Amino acid sequence: MDHITFLVAVVIVTALAFDFTNGFHDTANAMATSIATGALRPRTAVLISGVLNVVGAFLSTEVAKTISGGIVDDTLVTPGMIFAGLVGAILWNLATWLLGLPSSSSHALFGGLIGAVWVGAGEHGVHFDKVVEKVLLPAVASPLIAGVAALIATYFAYRITARARQKTVTKGFRLGQIASASLVSLAHGTNDAQKTMGVITLTLISAGALGHDAGPPLWVIASAGLAIGLGTYLGGWRIIRTMGKGLTDIQSPQGFAAEAASTTVILTSAHLGFALSTTQVCSGGILGAGLGRRLAEVRWGTAGRMVVAWLVTLPAAALVGGLSASVVTHGGNFGIVVIALLALAVATFIVVMSRRNPVHASNVNETHEVSVRGTAPAGVGTAA
């Protein structure tokens, strides 16, 4: 425990704070379609998702190892750089949550770390070949694969059930959605919870508390799993509305197809150690399911805004991470305090802005748009 300095403790707490934002930012990945089709009640959905995210965190550590010893040189990384990178990731998560944009928490984390390490240790501190192999290529391929699989599955689901009673079909696929959405949550835990495990492990390696190429200790796995599970339970209702209603008017066969396709892609990538974006995978699955149903409306304007967010996530988080690393590197502990206070002020402002037009479990399905402007109706409670 001698290696756990005050700075290391601050970085670990900040990493768990990111994990918490990752949870409520990505709840929509697993449960948006089930909530939109009525397969699960909103609060029940986020409870199931939260529990299964915790379980999934214990199933694999391959993605954690990719982050702790893959995309950056752990011999050059300092806890201060990791702190700066996490600040970039957290602020991007909160900003996109406010706008209801299902951007990638994973790419926010990667971008923040890359920017911070690049500024703090130079470009040789980043393994760009691994970034391309483990991050960028999966980012392009995974939503396409999930989309095509969901499109085909949706097409055949409607063809096979064309002559069946609509009420029976809807009921059957809603039951199927409970299982498929649960599997997405489990898969999410095996992928996204591990990213925070990897960051904490990288911090412990940089502080000398663990040897190089070490895997995450049990307490790291447990704390990361609980943090993402708690964030998931609170429910990122703004993003749930966008994914459940904003991309297409989804029906239960489409929801089942999208979730099944997404689960397959996420679990396969977790087994191979690819730190892909579950948000991009699930969004691709939903778009594919929308295209697979005849005469279904796909809202390409919303899809276009999502793609723009995907493209700018990594460089935007890298910019904030790099600027934060510059302050931390030159300012030492004082610089860390300054960045922490600035980040807290920005986060508070974002939360206050979200209260002007809240989205919560009671109104998540009322419309397909998420607006920042407006006044909350009287009697409306807090929202996430």
Side-chain angles (χ1 to χ4, degrees):
M1 296 296 291
D2 293 339
H3 296 283
I4 308 298
T5 63
F6 174 74
L7 176 56
V8 171
V10 168
V11 174
I12 292 173
V13 171
T14 307
L16 293 175
F18 164 78
D19 205 25
F20 178 82
T21 67
N22 193 165
F24 73 71
H25 199 279
D26 287 5
T27 309
N29 296 346
M31 293 299 175
T33 55
S34 294
I35 292 171
T37 62
L40 287 168
R41 294 181 181 274
R43 285 294 180 190
T44 302
V46 296
L47 175 61
I48 293 172
S49 186
V51 171
L52 289 175
N53 263 281
V54 176
V55 174
F58 287 88
L59 296 183
S60 173
T61 58
E62 292 304 316
V63 174
K65 293 175 183 176
T66 295
I67 294 172
S68 63
I71 64 174
V72 295
D73 187 340
D74 59 22
T75 63
L76 300 175
V77 174
T78 66
M81 295 178 199
I82 298 173
F83 170 76
L86 287 167
V87 168
I90 290 171
L91 292 182
W92 183 256
N93 268 359
L94 290 174
T96 50
W97 163 75
L98 175 66
L99 298 172
L101 286 174
S103 67
S104 171
S105 297
S106 305
H107 289 181
L109 176 59
F110 300 146
L113 285 177
I114 290 169
V117 173
W118 197 343
V119 169
E123 64 178 286
H124 53 283
V126 181
H127 298 154
F128 287 102
D129 56 334
K130 290 294 184 181
V131 172
V132 173
E133 175 190 352
K134 296 288 189 177
V135 178
L136 297 183
L137 289 180
V140 174
S142 57
L144 293 176
I145 294 171
V148 171
L151 187 154
I152 295 171
T154 299
Y155 173 78
F156 280 108
Y158 279 103
R159 285 293 300 272
I160 293 170
T161 60
R163 297 184 179 180
R165 293 176 57 192
Q166 183 64 39
K167 185 176 181 180
T168 303
V169 171
T170 299
K171 182 178 179 180
F173 276 109
R174 281 182 177 176
L175 291 173
Q177 273 194 276
I178 296 174
S180 59
S182 298
L183 285 174
V184 175
S185 296
L186 190 69
H188 186 267
T190 67
N191 196 283
D192 277 49
Q194 290 187 56
K195 291 160 189 171
T196 299
M197 295 179 209
V199 170
I200 296 176
T201 302
L202 180 60
T203 303
L204 295 174
I205 291 173
S206 69
L210 292 176
H212 295 297
D213 299 323
L218 180 61
W219 70 267
V220 172
I221 297 173
S223 59
L226 289 172
I228 200 170
L230 180 59
T232 301
Y233 174 69
L234 288 183
W237 303 110
R238 305 177 78 85
I239 300 176
I240 288 174
R241 173 180 285 180
T242 298
M243 290 188 71
K245 293 290 186 179
L247 288 173
T248 183
D249 292 321
I250 203 161
Q251 297 179 354
S252 53
Q254 295 167 282
F256 176 78
E259 291 160 358
S262 299
T263 300
T264 303
V265 173
I266 295 169
L267 287 178
T268 301
S269 69
H271 176 71
L272 296 174
F274 291 121
L276 54 69
S277 165
T278 54
T279 300
Q280 293 181 358
V281 171
C282 294
S283 299
I286 292 172
L287 281 173
L291 293 171
R293 176 165 69 91
R294 185 171 176 265
L295 301 179
E297 177 188 3
V298 176
R299 299 185 180 92
W300 293 109
T302 301
R305 289 193 294 273
M306 285 173 47
V307 171
V308 170
W310 294 354
L311 292 175
V312 302
T313 290
L314 197 147
L319 177 61
V320 177
L323 291 174
S324 300
S326 179
V327 175
V328 169
T329 301
H330 294 94
N333 288 336
F334 178 74
I336 291 174
V337 172
V338 169
I339 291 299
L341 290 176
L342 285 174
L344 183 60
V346 173
T348 301
F349 173 76
I350 291 173
V351 172
V352 170
M353 288 293 293
S354 73
R355 305 292 173 144
R356 297 177 62 184
N357 197 7
V359 182
H360 45 80
S362 300
N363 69 1
V364 67
N365 283 335
E366 288 182 1
T367 180
H368 65 270
E369 296 179 345
V370 175
S371 175
V372 178
R373 297 181 179 180
T375 303
V380 172
T382 58

